[in-house]
Amino acid sequence: MTIGNDPQEKFAAYAHPERLVSTQWLEQHLGAEGLVVLESDEDVLLYETGHIPGALKIDWHSELNDEVTRDYVDGAGFAALMSAKGISRGTTVVIYGDKSNWWAAYALWVFALFGHEDVRLLDGGRDKWIAENRALTTDRPAVSPADYPVVERNDAPVRAYLGDVLGHFGNPLIDVRSPDEYTGVRTHMPAYPEEGAMRGGHIPTAASVPWGRAAAEDGTFRPREELDAIYRDEAGLRTGDDVVAYCRIGERSSHTWFVLAYLLGFDKVRNYDGSWTEWGNAVRVPIVKGTERGSAPARANAVSGS
Amino acid sequence: MTDETLPRQLAEIVDDFQDLTEPDRLQLLLDFSRGLPELPARLKEHPELLEQVVECQSPLFLSLEIGEAPERPVHLFFSAPPEAPTTRGFAGVLLEGLDGLPAAKILAVPDDVPDRLGLTRAITPLRMRGMTAMLGKIKRKIRESDG
């Protein structure tokens, strides 16, 4: 890595402290050679209202998703995107965003599909930076295009498909949606009806841990021991587990994926980005309603297409 | 380019957007977002008079005041937080484009007006649905009040 890590004590307790930087660290390193800062928000205009000086915008919907297929950009598309943002393969990328880094974590997860080595989150994201009265600007930085190689996307280590999840029973699943979505009272998230599903409930055996529990009031990640209490003691995850996290379209579960993979150090964590908009609309997949986790179906392989 | 079926004040906004390049259209939407007025005190003190448009990604509250027949002029009031500039921008366009018009004219506005702003590519269809939902909600509330 070309740029050193943030030596903060809180981060040192995490499995991969190199994945986080503090607002203070970022402020001190703004403009450093080999560093690119990206803002990833839910609201497509939020960056334009003011952003961290030198930061570039990355839009999850129009830039990271394929325009036609429900998929992410391919290797050539990612290389073109990185090049346009002045990012080369060795660049240190720091991503931050709104809503406790919900969409920043999603962008970071897409970077992981392409194996970009040094990509970090700003702990606390946009809100913390603003709350601390740090500088904002509406100036758009000038970018010199960089060379970025076409790297084939490698989904398997971090992305689970429907068939993978059907074959996953017996291993832990984490449902990161709101309690009403988990129990099946709601078939869509409050305020997101266009991402609804035909059926409500959860994937059998999934533990309910709403994604936002990993974040403190100020949007920063909770300290290591609090995260251990939530995911190990409460949800029952154990070292060595093979974990799949899911939500509605895979963005909230990217946040949980980040926590499990980089803060708690689970080696095998995948995000099921089809999530409930796929599962809740798929034919003959098992579903459990209510607060109980439910038991693994005896014959999940009865479903075609898996 | 001006469409005869659109009220003039709305048609002008559509033309303004259409005359710009894509990045400038976003900037114009941001200007609408910044220009969205605060709620009048009578609504601030009575948040129960506001209704949430749940189809929007960020919380948007809307209230209508409809005047006397036969014109029944409609006044619109919107509220959305500053961290939701896109939602505020949509609200600003509808406010400037529709406020003060007779109820019948608003009901006659085509449902696809949001698509005519030329923002769909930059903002994505998913997000444009928020604005379509806002227009739908306004029309629904006018119809509900119709006796």
mmCIF file with all atom_site columns, all heavy atoms in Angstrom, chain A residues 42-46 48-49 59-61 191 194-195, chain B residues 29-30 54 56-57 83-86 124 126-127 129:
data_model
loop_
_atom_site.group_PDB
_atom_site.id
_atom_site.type_symbol
_atom_site.label_atom_id
_atom_site.label_alt_id
_atom_site.label_comp_id
_atom_site.label_asym_id
_atom_site.label_entity_id
_atom_site.label_seq_id
_atom_site.pdbx_PDB_ins_code
_atom_site.Cartn_x
_atom_site.Cartn_y
_atom_site.Cartn_z
_atom_site.occupancy
_atom_site.B_iso_or_equiv
_atom_site.pdbx_formal_charge
_atom_site.auth_seq_id
_atom_site.auth_comp_id
_atom_site.auth_asym_id
_atom_site.auth_atom_id
_atom_site.pdbx_PDB_model_num
ATOM 1   N N   . GLU A 1 42  ? -27.068 7.763  -1.506  1.00 0.00 ? 42  GLU A N   1
ATOM 2   C CA  . GLU A 1 42  ? -28.352 7.362  -2.064  1.00 0.00 ? 42  GLU A CA  1
ATOM 3   C C   . GLU A 1 42  ? -28.893 8.467  -2.970  1.00 0.00 ? 42  GLU A C   1
ATOM 4   O O   . GLU A 1 42  ? -29.332 8.218  -4.084  1.00 0.00 ? 42  GLU A O   1
ATOM 5   C CB  . GLU A 1 42  ? -29.350 7.094  -0.957  1.00 0.00 ? 42  GLU A CB  1
ATOM 6   C CG  . GLU A 1 42  ? -30.715 6.807  -1.543  1.00 0.00 ? 42  GLU A CG  1
ATOM 7   C CD  . GLU A 1 42  ? -31.711 6.398  -0.503  1.00 0.00 ? 42  GLU A CD  1
ATOM 8   O OE1 . GLU A 1 42  ? -32.049 7.239  0.337   1.00 0.00 ? 42  GLU A OE1 1
ATOM 9   O OE2 . GLU A 1 42  ? -32.132 5.241  -0.531  1.00 0.00 ? 42  GLU A OE2 1
ATOM 10  N N   . ASP A 1 43  ? -28.858 9.697  -2.481  1.00 0.00 ? 43  ASP A N   1
ATOM 11  C CA  . ASP A 1 43  ? -29.412 10.812 -3.259  1.00 0.00 ? 43  ASP A CA  1
ATOM 12  C C   . ASP A 1 43  ? -28.394 11.267 -4.296  1.00 0.00 ? 43  ASP A C   1
ATOM 13  O O   . ASP A 1 43  ? -27.280 11.678 -3.963  1.00 0.00 ? 43  ASP A O   1
ATOM 14  C CB  . ASP A 1 43  ? -29.782 11.976 -2.347  1.00 0.00 ? 43  ASP A CB  1
ATOM 15  C CG  . ASP A 1 43  ? -30.619 13.018 -3.096  1.00 0.00 ? 43  ASP A CG  1
ATOM 16  O OD1 . ASP A 1 43  ? -30.106 13.586 -4.085  1.00 0.00 ? 43  ASP A OD1 1
ATOM 17  O OD2 . ASP A 1 43  ? -31.764 13.254 -2.697  1.00 0.00 ? 43  ASP A OD2 1
ATOM 18  N N   . VAL A 1 44  ? -28.801 11.240 -5.541  1.00 0.00 ? 44  VAL A N   1
ATOM 19  C CA  . VAL A 1 44  ? -27.884 11.477 -6.657  1.00 0.00 ? 44  VAL A CA  1
ATOM 20  C C   . VAL A 1 44  ? -27.408 12.933 -6.735  1.00 0.00 ? 44  VAL A C   1
ATOM 21  O O   . VAL A 1 44  ? -26.434 13.236 -7.421  1.00 0.00 ? 44  VAL A O   1
ATOM 22  C CB  . VAL A 1 44  ? -28.557 11.024 -7.975  1.00 0.00 ? 44  VAL A CB  1
ATOM 23  C CG1 . VAL A 1 44  ? -29.682 11.938 -8.357  1.00 0.00 ? 44  VAL A CG1 1
ATOM 24  C CG2 . VAL A 1 44  ? -27.562 10.881 -9.110  1.00 0.00 ? 44  VAL A CG2 1
ATOM 25  N N   . LEU A 1 45  ? -28.052 13.840 -6.011  1.00 0.00 ? 45  LEU A N   1
ATOM 26  C CA  . LEU A 1 45  ? -27.642 15.254 -6.039  1.00 0.00 ? 45  LEU A CA  1
ATOM 27  C C   . LEU A 1 45  ? -26.897 15.703 -4.781  1.00 0.00 ? 45  LEU A C   1
ATOM 28  O O   . LEU A 1 45  ? -26.460 16.845 -4.695  1.00 0.00 ? 45  LEU A O   1
ATOM 29  C CB  . LEU A 1 45  ? -28.882 16.153 -6.196  1.00 0.00 ? 45  LEU A CB  1
ATOM 30  C CG  . LEU A 1 45  ? -29.411 16.408 -7.605  1.00 0.00 ? 45  LEU A CG  1
ATOM 31  C CD1 . LEU A 1 45  ? -30.601 17.356 -7.534  1.00 0.00 ? 45  LEU A CD1 1
ATOM 32  C CD2 . LEU A 1 45  ? -28.331 17.000 -8.503  1.00 0.00 ? 45  LEU A CD2 1
ATOM 33  N N   . LEU A 1 46  ? -26.797 14.811 -3.816  1.00 0.00 ? 46  LEU A N   1
ATOM 34  C CA  . LEU A 1 46  ? -26.239 15.241 -2.525  1.00 0.00 ? 46  LEU A CA  1
ATOM 35  C C   . LEU A 1 46  ? -24.790 15.725 -2.667  1.00 0.00 ? 46  LEU A C   1
ATOM 36  O O   . LEU A 1 46  ? -24.392 16.726 -2.065  1.00 0.00 ? 46  LEU A O   1
ATOM 37  C CB  . LEU A 1 46  ? -26.329 14.091 -1.517  1.00 0.00 ? 46  LEU A CB  1
ATOM 38  C CG  . LEU A 1 46  ? -26.190 14.434 -0.044  1.00 0.00 ? 46  LEU A CG  1
ATOM 39  C CD1 . LEU A 1 46  ? -27.130 15.542 0.366   1.00 0.00 ? 46  LEU A CD1 1
ATOM 40  C CD2 . LEU A 1 46  ? -26.418 13.199 0.814   1.00 0.00 ? 46  LEU A CD2 1
ATOM 41  N N   . GLU A 1 48  ? -23.479 17.219 -5.087  1.00 0.00 ? 48  GLU A N   1
ATOM 42  C CA  . GLU A 1 48  ? -23.472 18.562 -5.688  1.00 0.00 ? 48  GLU A CA  1
ATOM 43  C C   . GLU A 1 48  ? -23.793 19.660 -4.669  1.00 0.00 ? 48  GLU A C   1
ATOM 44  O O   . GLU A 1 48  ? -23.486 20.825 -4.890  1.00 0.00 ? 48  GLU A O   1
ATOM 45  C CB  . GLU A 1 48  ? -24.469 18.647 -6.845  1.00 0.00 ? 48  GLU A CB  1
ATOM 46  C CG  . GLU A 1 48  ? -23.964 18.061 -8.160  1.00 0.00 ? 48  GLU A CG  1
ATOM 47  C CD  . GLU A 1 48  ? -24.044 16.546 -8.226  1.00 0.00 ? 48  GLU A CD  1
ATOM 48  O OE1 . GLU A 1 48  ? -24.530 15.917 -7.249  1.00 0.00 ? 48  GLU A OE1 1
ATOM 49  O OE2 . GLU A 1 48  ? -23.614 15.979 -9.245  1.00 0.00 ? 48  GLU A OE2 1
ATOM 50  N N   . THR A 1 49  ? -24.433 19.297 -3.561  1.00 0.00 ? 49  THR A N   1
ATOM 51  C CA  . THR A 1 49  ? -24.749 20.324 -2.561  1.00 0.00 ? 49  THR A CA  1
ATOM 52  C C   . THR A 1 49  ? -23.514 20.703 -1.736  1.00 0.00 ? 49  THR A C   1
ATOM 53  O O   . THR A 1 49  ? -23.540 21.673 -0.985  1.00 0.00 ? 49  THR A O   1
ATOM 54  C CB  . THR A 1 49  ? -25.845 19.861 -1.577  1.00 0.00 ? 49  THR A CB  1
ATOM 55  O OG1 . THR A 1 49  ? -25.332 18.787 -0.780  1.00 0.00 ? 49  THR A OG1 1
ATOM 56  C CG2 . THR A 1 49  ? -27.096 19.409 -2.299  1.00 0.00 ? 49  THR A CG2 1
ATOM 57  N N   . ASP A 1 59  ? -21.749 7.083  -8.528  1.00 0.00 ? 59  ASP A N   1
ATOM 58  C CA  . ASP A 1 59  ? -23.167 6.790  -8.341  1.00 0.00 ? 59  ASP A CA  1
ATOM 59  C C   . ASP A 1 59  ? -23.419 5.300  -8.496  1.00 0.00 ? 59  ASP A C   1
ATOM 60  O O   . ASP A 1 59  ? -23.145 4.719  -9.545  1.00 0.00 ? 59  ASP A O   1
ATOM 61  C CB  . ASP A 1 59  ? -24.013 7.580  -9.336  1.00 0.00 ? 59  ASP A CB  1
ATOM 62  C CG  . ASP A 1 59  ? -25.499 7.383  -9.073  1.00 0.00 ? 59  ASP A CG  1
ATOM 63  O OD1 . ASP A 1 59  ? -25.917 7.550  -7.911  1.00 0.00 ? 59  ASP A OD1 1
ATOM 64  O OD2 . ASP A 1 59  ? -26.238 7.050  -10.009 1.00 0.00 ? 59  ASP A OD2 1
ATOM 65  N N   . TRP A 1 60  ? -23.942 4.703  -7.435  1.00 0.00 ? 60  TRP A N   1
ATOM 66  C CA  . TRP A 1 60  ? -24.149 3.245  -7.426  1.00 0.00 ? 60  TRP A CA  1
ATOM 67  C C   . TRP A 1 60  ? -25.066 2.803  -8.554  1.00 0.00 ? 60  TRP A C   1
ATOM 68  O O   . TRP A 1 60  ? -24.893 1.748  -9.144  1.00 0.00 ? 60  TRP A O   1
ATOM 69  C CB  . TRP A 1 60  ? -24.724 2.796  -6.079  1.00 0.00 ? 60  TRP A CB  1
ATOM 70  C CG  . TRP A 1 60  ? -26.105 3.332  -5.804  1.00 0.00 ? 60  TRP A CG  1
ATOM 71  C CD1 . TRP A 1 60  ? -26.396 4.569  -5.318  1.00 0.00 ? 60  TRP A CD1 1
ATOM 72  C CD2 . TRP A 1 60  ? -27.352 2.674  -6.012  1.00 0.00 ? 60  TRP A CD2 1
ATOM 73  N NE1 . TRP A 1 60  ? -27.756 4.708  -5.212  1.00 0.00 ? 60  TRP A NE1 1
ATOM 74  C CE2 . TRP A 1 60  ? -28.373 3.557  -5.622  1.00 0.00 ? 60  TRP A CE2 1
ATOM 75  C CE3 . TRP A 1 60  ? -27.713 1.402  -6.473  1.00 0.00 ? 60  TRP A CE3 1
ATOM 76  C CZ2 . TRP A 1 60  ? -29.729 3.236  -5.695  1.00 0.00 ? 60  TRP A CZ2 1
ATOM 77  C CZ3 . TRP A 1 60  ? -29.065 1.077  -6.545  1.00 0.00 ? 60  TRP A CZ3 1
ATOM 78  C CH2 . TRP A 1 60  ? -30.055 1.999  -6.156  1.00 0.00 ? 60  TRP A CH2 1
ATOM 79  N N   . HIS A 1 61  ? -26.043 3.631  -8.861  1.00 0.00 ? 61  HIS A N   1
ATOM 80  C CA  . HIS A 1 61  ? -27.077 3.192  -9.798  1.00 0.00 ? 61  HIS A CA  1
ATOM 81  C C   . HIS A 1 61  ? -26.650 3.381  -11.245 1.00 0.00 ? 61  HIS A C   1
ATOM 82  O O   . HIS A 1 61  ? -26.720 2.461  -12.055 1.00 0.00 ? 61  HIS A O   1
ATOM 83  C CB  . HIS A 1 61  ? -28.363 3.974  -9.517  1.00 0.00 ? 61  HIS A CB  1
ATOM 84  C CG  . HIS A 1 61  ? -29.590 3.253  -9.950  1.00 0.00 ? 61  HIS A CG  1
ATOM 85  N ND1 . HIS A 1 61  ? -29.718 2.691  -11.200 1.00 0.00 ? 61  HIS A ND1 1
ATOM 86  C CD2 . HIS A 1 61  ? -30.730 2.974  -9.296  1.00 0.00 ? 61  HIS A CD2 1
ATOM 87  C CE1 . HIS A 1 61  ? -30.903 2.116  -11.290 1.00 0.00 ? 61  HIS A CE1 1
ATOM 88  N NE2 . HIS A 1 61  ? -31.543 2.264  -10.155 1.00 0.00 ? 61  HIS A NE2 1
ATOM 89  N N   . ALA A 1 191 ? -41.052 3.285  2.429   1.00 0.00 ? 191 ALA A N   1
ATOM 90  C CA  . ALA A 1 191 ? -40.575 4.288  1.469   1.00 0.00 ? 191 ALA A CA  1
ATOM 91  C C   . ALA A 1 191 ? -39.879 3.722  0.237   1.00 0.00 ? 191 ALA A C   1
ATOM 92  O O   . ALA A 1 191 ? -39.344 4.461  -0.571  1.00 0.00 ? 191 ALA A O   1
ATOM 93  C CB  . ALA A 1 191 ? -39.666 5.318  2.123   1.00 0.00 ? 191 ALA A CB  1
ATOM 94  N N   . GLU A 1 194 ? -41.209 0.355  -4.726  1.00 0.00 ? 194 GLU A N   1
ATOM 95  C CA  . GLU A 1 194 ? -40.882 -0.152 -6.057  1.00 0.00 ? 194 GLU A CA  1
ATOM 96  C C   . GLU A 1 194 ? -39.923 -1.331 -5.986  1.00 0.00 ? 194 GLU A C   1
ATOM 97  O O   . GLU A 1 194 ? -39.666 -1.989 -6.968  1.00 0.00 ? 194 GLU A O   1
ATOM 98  C CB  . GLU A 1 194 ? -40.301 0.954  -6.942  1.00 0.00 ? 194 GLU A CB  1
ATOM 99  C CG  . GLU A 1 194 ? -38.944 1.436  -6.542  1.00 0.00 ? 194 GLU A CG  1
ATOM 100 C CD  . GLU A 1 194 ? -39.010 2.536  -5.492  1.00 0.00 ? 194 GLU A CD  1
ATOM 101 O OE1 . GLU A 1 194 ? -40.059 2.723  -4.867  1.00 0.00 ? 194 GLU A OE1 1
ATOM 102 O OE2 . GLU A 1 194 ? -37.991 3.205  -5.302  1.00 0.00 ? 194 GLU A OE2 1
ATOM 103 N N   . GLU A 1 195 ? -39.371 -1.568 -4.795  1.00 0.00 ? 195 GLU A N   1
ATOM 104 C CA  . GLU A 1 195 ? -38.486 -2.711 -4.655  1.00 0.00 ? 195 GLU A CA  1
ATOM 105 C C   . GLU A 1 195 ? -39.174 -3.785 -3.826  1.00 0.00 ? 195 GLU A C   1
ATOM 106 O O   . GLU A 1 195 ? -38.601 -4.383 -2.931  1.00 0.00 ? 195 GLU A O   1
ATOM 107 C CB  . GLU A 1 195 ? -37.159 -2.267 -4.038  1.00 0.00 ? 195 GLU A CB  1
ATOM 108 C CG  . GLU A 1 195 ? -36.373 -1.428 -5.035  1.00 0.00 ? 195 GLU A CG  1
ATOM 109 C CD  . GLU A 1 195 ? -35.206 -0.696 -4.412  1.00 0.00 ? 195 GLU A CD  1
ATOM 110 O OE1 . GLU A 1 195 ? -34.839 -1.013 -3.283  1.00 0.00 ? 195 GLU A OE1 1
ATOM 111 O OE2 . GLU A 1 195 ? -34.679 0.200  -5.076  1.00 0.00 ? 195 GLU A OE2 1
ATOM 112 N N   . LEU B 2 29  ? -31.873 21.254 -11.496 1.00 0.00 ? 29  LEU B N   1
ATOM 113 C CA  . LEU B 2 29  ? -32.680 20.573 -10.484 1.00 0.00 ? 29  LEU B CA  1
ATOM 114 C C   . LEU B 2 29  ? -32.197 20.958 -9.085  1.00 0.00 ? 29  LEU B C   1
ATOM 115 O O   . LEU B 2 29  ? -32.993 21.144 -8.154  1.00 0.00 ? 29  LEU B O   1
ATOM 116 C CB  . LEU B 2 29  ? -32.608 19.052 -10.682 1.00 0.00 ? 29  LEU B CB  1
ATOM 117 C CG  . LEU B 2 29  ? -33.572 18.240 -9.816  1.00 0.00 ? 29  LEU B CG  1
ATOM 118 C CD1 . LEU B 2 29  ? -35.034 18.499 -10.193 1.00 0.00 ? 29  LEU B CD1 1
ATOM 119 C CD2 . LEU B 2 29  ? -33.275 16.742 -9.894  1.00 0.00 ? 29  LEU B CD2 1
ATOM 120 N N   . LEU B 2 30  ? -30.877 21.083 -8.958  1.00 0.00 ? 30  LEU B N   1
ATOM 121 C CA  . LEU B 2 30  ? -30.310 21.505 -7.672  1.00 0.00 ? 30  LEU B CA  1
ATOM 122 C C   . LEU B 2 30  ? -30.765 22.927 -7.313  1.00 0.00 ? 30  LEU B C   1
ATOM 123 O O   . LEU B 2 30  ? -31.049 23.224 -6.146  1.00 0.00 ? 30  LEU B O   1
ATOM 124 C CB  . LEU B 2 30  ? -28.783 21.428 -7.743  1.00 0.00 ? 30  LEU B CB  1
ATOM 125 C CG  . LEU B 2 30  ? -28.013 21.621 -6.452  1.00 0.00 ? 30  LEU B CG  1
ATOM 126 C CD1 . LEU B 2 30  ? -28.396 20.582 -5.418  1.00 0.00 ? 30  LEU B CD1 1
ATOM 127 C CD2 . LEU B 2 30  ? -26.512 21.556 -6.723  1.00 0.00 ? 30  LEU B CD2 1
ATOM 128 N N   . VAL B 2 54  ? -45.131 8.166  0.204   1.00 0.00 ? 54  VAL B N   1
ATOM 129 C CA  . VAL B 2 54  ? -44.258 7.046  0.571   1.00 0.00 ? 54  VAL B CA  1
ATOM 130 C C   . VAL B 2 54  ? -43.444 6.514  -0.600  1.00 0.00 ? 54  VAL B C   1
ATOM 131 O O   . VAL B 2 54  ? -42.463 5.823  -0.404  1.00 0.00 ? 54  VAL B O   1
ATOM 132 C CB  . VAL B 2 54  ? -45.045 5.881  1.200   1.00 0.00 ? 54  VAL B CB  1
ATOM 133 C CG1 . VAL B 2 54  ? -45.614 6.270  2.538   1.00 0.00 ? 54  VAL B CG1 1
ATOM 134 C CG2 . VAL B 2 54  ? -46.133 5.393  0.267   1.00 0.00 ? 54  VAL B CG2 1
ATOM 135 N N   . CYS B 2 56  ? -41.517 8.114  -2.433  1.00 0.00 ? 56  CYS B N   1
ATOM 136 C CA  . CYS B 2 56  ? -40.238 8.799  -2.573  1.00 0.00 ? 56  CYS B CA  1
ATOM 137 C C   . CYS B 2 56  ? -39.190 8.126  -1.705  1.00 0.00 ? 56  CYS B C   1
ATOM 138 O O   . CYS B 2 56  ? -39.484 7.681  -0.604  1.00 0.00 ? 56  CYS B O   1
ATOM 139 C CB  . CYS B 2 56  ? -40.372 10.262 -2.177  1.00 0.00 ? 56  CYS B CB  1
ATOM 140 S SG  . CYS B 2 56  ? -41.447 11.138 -3.295  1.00 0.00 ? 56  CYS B SG  1
ATOM 141 N N   . GLN B 2 57  ? -37.950 8.093  -2.204  1.00 0.00 ? 57  GLN B N   1
ATOM 142 C CA  . GLN B 2 57  ? -36.879 7.431  -1.448  1.00 0.00 ? 57  GLN B CA  1
ATOM 143 C C   . GLN B 2 57  ? -36.626 8.146  -0.126  1.00 0.00 ? 57  GLN B C   1
ATOM 144 O O   . GLN B 2 57  ? -36.335 7.529  0.867   1.00 0.00 ? 57  GLN B O   1
ATOM 145 C CB  . GLN B 2 57  ? -35.599 7.402  -2.269  1.00 0.00 ? 57  GLN B CB  1
ATOM 146 C CG  . GLN B 2 57  ? -35.689 6.405  -3.417  1.00 0.00 ? 57  GLN B CG  1
ATOM 147 C CD  . GLN B 2 57  ? -34.342 5.926  -3.866  1.00 0.00 ? 57  GLN B CD  1
ATOM 148 O OE1 . GLN B 2 57  ? -33.341 6.581  -3.638  1.00 0.00 ? 57  GLN B OE1 1
ATOM 149 N NE2 . GLN B 2 57  ? -34.293 4.790  -4.502  1.00 0.00 ? 57  GLN B NE2 1
ATOM 150 N N   . GLU B 2 83  ? -30.916 17.032 3.251   1.00 0.00 ? 83  GLU B N   1
ATOM 151 C CA  . GLU B 2 83  ? -30.074 15.918 2.796   1.00 0.00 ? 83  GLU B CA  1
ATOM 152 C C   . GLU B 2 83  ? -30.778 15.078 1.728   1.00 0.00 ? 83  GLU B C   1
ATOM 153 O O   . GLU B 2 83  ? -30.298 14.025 1.338   1.00 0.00 ? 83  GLU B O   1
ATOM 154 C CB  . GLU B 2 83  ? -29.588 15.052 3.968   1.00 0.00 ? 83  GLU B CB  1
ATOM 155 C CG  . GLU B 2 83  ? -30.654 14.381 4.793   1.00 0.00 ? 83  GLU B CG  1
ATOM 156 C CD  . GLU B 2 83  ? -31.144 15.244 5.958   1.00 0.00 ? 83  GLU B CD  1
ATOM 157 O OE1 . GLU B 2 83  ? -30.937 16.487 5.921   1.00 0.00 ? 83  GLU B OE1 1
ATOM 158 O OE2 . GLU B 2 83  ? -31.759 14.689 6.891   1.00 0.00 ? 83  GLU B OE2 1
ATOM 159 N N   . ALA B 2 84  ? -31.934 15.554 1.254   1.00 0.00 ? 84  ALA B N   1
ATOM 160 C CA  . ALA B 2 84  ? -32.642 14.877 0.162   1.00 0.00 ? 84  ALA B CA  1
ATOM 161 C C   . ALA B 2 84  ? -32.835 15.847 -0.997  1.00 0.00 ? 84  ALA B C   1
ATOM 162 O O   . ALA B 2 84  ? -33.954 16.174 -1.377  1.00 0.00 ? 84  ALA B O   1
ATOM 163 C CB  . ALA B 2 84  ? -33.989 14.356 0.662   1.00 0.00 ? 84  ALA B CB  1
ATOM 164 N N   . PRO B 2 85  ? -31.740 16.329 -1.597  1.00 0.00 ? 85  PRO B N   1
ATOM 165 C CA  . PRO B 2 85  ? -31.863 17.371 -2.613  1.00 0.00 ? 85  PRO B CA  1
ATOM 166 C C   . PRO B 2 85  ? -32.644 16.961 -3.856  1.00 0.00 ? 85  PRO B C   1
ATOM 167 O O   . PRO B 2 85  ? -33.318 17.798 -4.462  1.00 0.00 ? 85  PRO B O   1
ATOM 168 C CB  . PRO B 2 85  ? -30.412 17.726 -2.960  1.00 0.00 ? 85  PRO B CB  1
ATOM 169 C CG  . PRO B 2 85  ? -29.596 16.589 -2.477  1.00 0.00 ? 85  PRO B CG  1
ATOM 170 C CD  . PRO B 2 85  ? -30.321 16.001 -1.311  1.00 0.00 ? 85  PRO B CD  1
ATOM 171 N N   . THR B 2 86  ? -32.567 15.693 -4.236  1.00 0.00 ? 86  THR B N   1
ATOM 172 C CA  . THR B 2 86  ? -33.303 15.276 -5.434  1.00 0.00 ? 86  THR B CA  1
ATOM 173 C C   . THR B 2 86  ? -34.808 15.380 -5.186  1.00 0.00 ? 86  THR B C   1
ATOM 174 O O   . THR B 2 86  ? -35.547 15.931 -6.015  1.00 0.00 ? 86  THR B O   1
ATOM 175 C CB  . THR B 2 86  ? -32.928 13.832 -5.820  1.00 0.00 ? 86  THR B CB  1
ATOM 176 O OG1 . THR B 2 86  ? -31.512 13.773 -6.015  1.00 0.00 ? 86  THR B OG1 1
ATOM 177 C CG2 . THR B 2 86  ? -33.617 13.402 -7.092  1.00 0.00 ? 86  THR B CG2 1
ATOM 178 N N   . THR B 2 124 ? -31.730 8.133  -13.323 1.00 0.00 ? 124 THR B N   1
ATOM 179 C CA  . THR B 2 124 ? -32.218 6.759  -13.426 1.00 0.00 ? 124 THR B CA  1
ATOM 180 C C   . THR B 2 124 ? -33.735 6.684  -13.259 1.00 0.00 ? 124 THR B C   1
ATOM 181 O O   . THR B 2 124 ? -34.325 7.445  -12.499 1.00 0.00 ? 124 THR B O   1
ATOM 182 C CB  . THR B 2 124 ? -31.581 5.760  -12.399 1.00 0.00 ? 124 THR B CB  1
ATOM 183 O OG1 . THR B 2 124 ? -32.120 6.027  -11.123 1.00 0.00 ? 124 THR B OG1 1
ATOM 184 C CG2 . THR B 2 124 ? -30.076 5.861  -12.397 1.00 0.00 ? 124 THR B CG2 1
ATOM 185 N N   . LEU B 2 126 ? -35.563 4.604  -11.764 1.00 0.00 ? 126 LEU B N   1
ATOM 186 C CA  . LEU B 2 126 ? -35.979 4.282  -10.394 1.00 0.00 ? 126 LEU B CA  1
ATOM 187 C C   . LEU B 2 126 ? -36.259 5.548  -9.590  1.00 0.00 ? 126 LEU B C   1
ATOM 188 O O   . LEU B 2 126 ? -37.267 5.687  -8.909  1.00 0.00 ? 126 LEU B O   1
ATOM 189 C CB  . LEU B 2 126 ? -34.868 3.482  -9.713  1.00 0.00 ? 126 LEU B CB  1
ATOM 190 C CG  . LEU B 2 126 ? -35.070 3.119  -8.249  1.00 0.00 ? 126 LEU B CG  1
ATOM 191 C CD1 . LEU B 2 126 ? -35.786 1.787  -8.133  1.00 0.00 ? 126 LEU B CD1 1
ATOM 192 C CD2 . LEU B 2 126 ? -33.739 3.050  -7.519  1.00 0.00 ? 126 LEU B CD2 1
ATOM 193 N N   . ARG B 2 127 ? -35.354 6.509  -9.699  1.00 0.00 ? 127 ARG B N   1
ATOM 194 C CA  . ARG B 2 127 ? -35.511 7.726  -8.912  1.00 0.00 ? 127 ARG B CA  1
ATOM 195 C C   . ARG B 2 127 ? -36.582 8.645  -9.499  1.00 0.00 ? 127 ARG B C   1
ATOM 196 O O   . ARG B 2 127 ? -37.246 9.360  -8.757  1.00 0.00 ? 127 ARG B O   1
ATOM 197 C CB  . ARG B 2 127 ? -34.182 8.464  -8.830  1.00 0.00 ? 127 ARG B CB  1
ATOM 198 C CG  . ARG B 2 127 ? -33.168 7.763  -7.938  1.00 0.00 ? 127 ARG B CG  1
ATOM 199 C CD  . ARG B 2 127 ? -31.779 8.249  -8.261  1.00 0.00 ? 127 ARG B CD  1
ATOM 200 N NE  . ARG B 2 127 ? -30.783 7.809  -7.296  1.00 0.00 ? 127 ARG B NE  1
ATOM 201 C CZ  . ARG B 2 127 ? -29.531 7.552  -7.622  1.00 0.00 ? 127 ARG B CZ  1
ATOM 202 N NH1 . ARG B 2 127 ? -29.128 7.664  -8.872  1.00 0.00 ? 127 ARG B NH1 1
ATOM 203 N NH2 . ARG B 2 127 ? -28.672 7.182  -6.710  1.00 0.00 ? 127 ARG B NH2 1
ATOM 204 N N   . ARG B 2 129 ? -39.275 7.812  -10.582 1.00 0.00 ? 129 ARG B N   1
ATOM 205 C CA  . ARG B 2 129 ? -40.588 7.377  -10.116 1.00 0.00 ? 129 ARG B CA  1
ATOM 206 C C   . ARG B 2 129 ? -41.054 8.182  -8.913  1.00 0.00 ? 129 ARG B C   1
ATOM 207 O O   . ARG B 2 129 ? -42.251 8.342  -8.681  1.00 0.00 ? 129 ARG B O   1
ATOM 208 C CB  . ARG B 2 129 ? -40.556 5.893  -9.752  1.00 0.00 ? 129 ARG B CB  1
ATOM 209 C CG  . ARG B 2 129 ? -40.940 5.031  -10.911 1.00 0.00 ? 129 ARG B CG  1
ATOM 210 C CD  . ARG B 2 129 ? -40.900 3.578  -10.511 1.00 0.00 ? 129 ARG B CD  1
ATOM 211 N NE  . ARG B 2 129 ? -39.959 2.869  -11.350 1.00 0.00 ? 129 ARG B NE  1
ATOM 212 C CZ  . ARG B 2 129 ? -39.430 1.688  -11.079 1.00 0.00 ? 129 ARG B CZ  1
ATOM 213 N NH1 . ARG B 2 129 ? -39.727 1.076  -9.948  1.00 0.00 ? 129 ARG B NH1 1
ATOM 214 N NH2 . ARG B 2 129 ? -38.608 1.119  -11.918 1.00 0.00 ? 129 ARG B NH2 1
#
